[in-house]
Amino acid sequence: MGAPDGDCLGPYRLLSPLGAGGFGEVHLALDPEGHTVAVKILHPHVAADEVALTRLAREVEAMRRVQGPYVAELIEASLQSERPYLATRYVQGRPLSAVVSGDGPVGGEVLVRLARGLAEALAAVHAAGVIHRDLKPGNVILTDGEPVLIDFGIACLLDSATVTTSGAVLGTPGYLAPEILEGGETGPEADVFSLAATLAFAATGRHPYGTGPASAIGYRVVHHEPDLDGVPPWLEPLLRECLVPDPAARPPAAALPARLAAVAPVGRVAGSEGSATVPSSASSAGSAGSAAPVGPGVFASPPPPPAPPRPRPPFSSWRGGRPREDRESRRSREDRESGVHGLTTREWRPGRRGRSRLDASLPESAREHRRAVIHRRWVIGTGLLVALAAAAAKSPLPEVSLLLLTVYGAVMIIDGGVALFARQNRPRLVVDLAGAGGSVALWAVLGAFFSPLTLGLALGTVVFVLVVILLSS
């Protein structure tokens, strides 16, 4: 179906598609004041189904009852138009699943902010009488290090009957609570289980119940203990309590923010790489609060209060009873955010400054892992290119062939030596030496089995593809 870019839907001008799900297609759009929103357009075959419209009406009502700084709130909905849609706050950033897959596990200050933000988001969801039912890393967006919970597409009201449709996805394996897998009642305790599984994935980089077929993962959820190896000591006991099979034994979502505030590290984060600090009003107060004795010679500082909520994004008008913001204060905030007067749309793209701010808040271990991955890919890519070029020049220009191999080998040896003696980085030295040796071996194999003409054509094709990639990026 797909609405074309520049098309208007109600008061919104569609800019570009963001994704699609079982019920509709999500577009980045501009509201009448020029602010970005996310517009979800119902699929035509779903819009023609009265049962699906009833389900959407329940979804809209649920989303209107959920508000908070860590959830993507509903702005407006239109169910009677030719193309039914709903508009929510647009969240710029990357999904938690992509952050962990690309940069490794999160830790230190980032993990503390993630845990506190998701706990407050789930508390707000349950306070509104809603069950999210699909809390997972893909439905958590990190924006400037702060989490935002999105996609209430399968949320249902606590005080309404469960609505089911054929083909509807009811959850994600590994993050569904065991009582759901066993066919029991779905309550808010299931979201607490999903929250703990999501935090375990963020802290370790692994799914807490492994991977594989959905049936195998479901069996491990019901019968096995979660894999929490690598979760920081301050967080592991709470996650184990939230992942118990008995729903009644799990803590309620309303208690999670206070529980995390009591156990989350303040100042230098224990077990993290570097010296990440946790922003808190208690840290600026110094020693104003008195310490409570907990044993002979041992004192425990009072838990810090929860972090203040982030201000809401500058919408010109909030439907459903939300106040209109002052124009001058909104304009000054936009100027601070964008640095250009009048620029209101800043869609996130890979490689822009939004990603660098997030990477800067990652632990040093995650950044070092990312640098190692980039270096390994660079060595492999350049080694393949040099071996191919040297093999192509082996017969007509043997001097050039040997020169290429010699220069590449010298560069690899120098880089490995610098890494070894300057930073004591032995793995990098191994990668460099393996790259140099592998390029020589590949040069010998290619030169023995392929003609110079074939190798030249292959080299030209590779260079052409690289140039196209560089120009397109």
Side-chain angles (χ1 to χ4, degrees):
M1 89 32 158
D5 295 347
D7 188 21
C8 290
L9 187 60
Y12 305 104
R13 182 163 63 89
L14 306 182
L15 298 180
S16 60
L18 297 175
F23 281 92
E25 188 176 80
V26 183
H27 286 255
L28 178 68
L30 288 178
D31 70 2
E33 294 292 329
H35 300 119
T36 52
V37 296
V39 175
K40 182 176 182 180
I41 308 173
L42 203 63
H43 288 316
H45 68 276
V46 179
D49 189 341
E50 293 184 1
V51 176
L53 287 178
T54 301
R55 184 182 178 92
L56 180 62
R58 293 176 183 269
E59 175 186 348
V60 168
E61 182 60 27
M63 294 177 68
R64 281 177 172 160
R65 292 166 59 178
V66 178
Q67 295 187 19
Y70 299 103
V71 294
E73 298 119 328
L74 176 69
I75 302 173
E76 184 184 16
S78 175
L79 304 182
Q80 289 75 35
S81 60
E82 182 180 353
R83 289 188 296 174
Y85 69 89
L86 57 88
T88 63
R89 174 161 65 99
Y90 173 61
V91 182
Q92 300 180 90
R94 288 194 294 168
L96 176 62
S97 56
V99 172
V100 175
S101 299
D103 303 330
V106 300
E109 176 191 357
V110 181
L111 183 59
V112 173
R113 295 164 69 184
L114 175 67
R116 287 184 173 181
L118 287 184
E120 291 188 22
L122 191 58
V125 168
H126 289 181
V130 178
I131 306 176
H132 189 283
R133 298 188 67 154
D134 197 22
L135 204 165
K136 59 183 180 181
N139 282 338
V140 176
I141 301 296
L142 286 180
T143 170
D144 293 336
E146 297 288 349
V148 178
L149 187 59
I150 65 169
D151 195 359
F152 290 85
I154 60 172
C156 67
L157 298 178
L158 290 176
D159 54 2
S160 67
T162 302
V163 180
T164 58
T165 59
S166 60
V169 179
L170 297 181
T172 303
Y175 298 89
L176 279 176
E179 62 268 21
I180 300 178
L181 297 175
E182 293 180 318
E185 293 293 331
T186 302
E189 300 85 2
D191 281 348
V192 174
F193 180 95
S194 302
L195 171 65
T198 299
L199 291 177
F201 169 78
T204 64
R206 305 183 307 274
H207 299 289
Y209 292 97
T211 58
S215 57
I217 298 175
Y219 181 86
R220 290 192 289 267
V221 170
V222 175
H223 299 285
H224 291 182
E225 292 291 326
D227 177 15
L228 299 183
D229 186 21
V231 176
W234 61 269
L235 183 59
E236 181 181 356
L238 182 58
L239 294 191
R240 290 195 180 277
E241 187 177 349
C242 295
L243 292 172
V244 295
D246 183 11
R250 299 173 199 150
L256 294 180
R259 294 281 300 273
L260 285 169
V263 300
V266 179
R268 184 178 294 273
V269 181
S272 65
E273 300 290 335
S275 57
T277 57
V278 180
S280 173
S281 57
S283 62
S284 61
S287 58
S290 59
V294 295
V298 181
F299 292 83
S301 301
R310 296 186 296 118
R312 291 184 177 175
F315 287 120
S316 61
S317 176
W318 290 87
R319 281 83 173 177
R322 295 181 180 137
R324 179 178 297 273
E325 188 179 20
D326 178 72
R327 290 183 180 271
E328 294 301 326
S329 63
R330 183 179 68 242
R331 175 62 60 84
S332 61
R333 182 188 302 176
E334 291 171 356
D335 292 343
R336 290 195 303 270
E337 289 179 349
S338 63
V340 181
H341 184 75
L343 180 61
T344 57
T345 300
R346 295 179 297 128
E347 182 183 4
W348 180 87
R349 297 286 186 183
R352 291 191 180 177
R353 285 188 294 173
R355 180 170 181 173
S356 63
R357 290 196 302 268
L358 179 61
D359 292 344
S361 63
L362 290 174
E364 179 61 28
S365 60
R367 294 198 296 270
E368 186 65 29
H369 170 75
R370 186 175 182 181
R371 286 194 291 265
V373 171
I374 295 175
H375 172 262
R376 185 163 57 249
R377 293 175 179 174
W378 178 83
V379 170
I380 295 174
T382 54
L384 292 174
L385 189 62
V386 168
L388 185 58
K394 184 177 180 180
S395 296
L397 299 171
E399 296 84 1
V400 175
S401 176
L402 293 177
L403 179 62
L404 288 174
L405 292 176
T406 302
V407 171
Y408 179 75
V411 171
M412 291 294 100
I413 293 175
I414 293 173
D415 181 73
V418 172
L420 178 63
F421 294 107
R423 293 181 291 177
Q424 302 296 321
N425 196 336
R426 293 182 183 272
R428 180 161 182 164
L429 173 62
V430 174
V431 171
D432 289 336
L433 294 180
S439 63
V440 174
L442 183 61
W443 164 78
V445 172
L446 293 176
F449 290 97
F450 297 96
S451 66
L453 178 60
T454 303
L455 294 174
L457 292 175
L459 178 62
T461 303
V462 172
V463 173
F464 176 76
V465 171
L466 292 177
V467 171
V468 170
I469 293 175
L470 290 175
L471 292 178
S472 63
S473 61

